[in-house]
Amino acid sequence: MNRNDFLVALFGRPVWFHCKQCHRVMAGGTEESFPDMWQEEAVAMEAWRVRPEDLWWFDTVCVSCQEQQRS
């Protein structure tokens, strides 16, 4: 996928989110497009055809991990 196809960009780079607990990632702007938006990093990188150094990373905690903390 071309960088210009990403919905969210910061200074010309796509924005991706990284869960600090489960270490899965999500491409910015995909939360409405895919039912299971959080994926293993290697799988997501290959699917989107990007390298980690091509992206802006934001550390967060995904919804699944937040729900596990509350239980």
Side-chain angles (χ1 to χ4, degrees):
M1 176 169 257
N2 188 313
R3 284 185 186 178
N4 295 330
D5 294 336
F6 285 87
L7 299 176
V8 179
L10 180 66
F11 300 112
R13 287 185 175 182
V15 175
W16 279 37
F17 301 93
H18 174 261
C19 179
K20 296 185 287 188
Q21 294 186 345
C22 68
H23 302 289
R24 294 185 303 157
V25 300
M26 178 182 69
T30 60
E31 55 273 355
E32 297 172 3
S33 306
F34 299 104
D36 185 19
M37 56 217 139
W38 291 91
Q39 301 176 329
E40 296 298 322
E41 184 175 343
V43 173
M45 295 282 137
E46 186 174 326
W48 291 88
R49 298 184 189 147
V50 294
R51 299 173 305 180
E53 60 269 16
D54 295 334
L55 307 168
W56 285 107
W57 291 97
F58 286 96
D59 286 327
T60 188
V61 178
C62 70
V63 174
S64 297
C65 289
Q66 289 178 26
E67 289 174 355
Q68 288 176 1
Q69 286 178 345
R70 291 181 189 146
S71 341

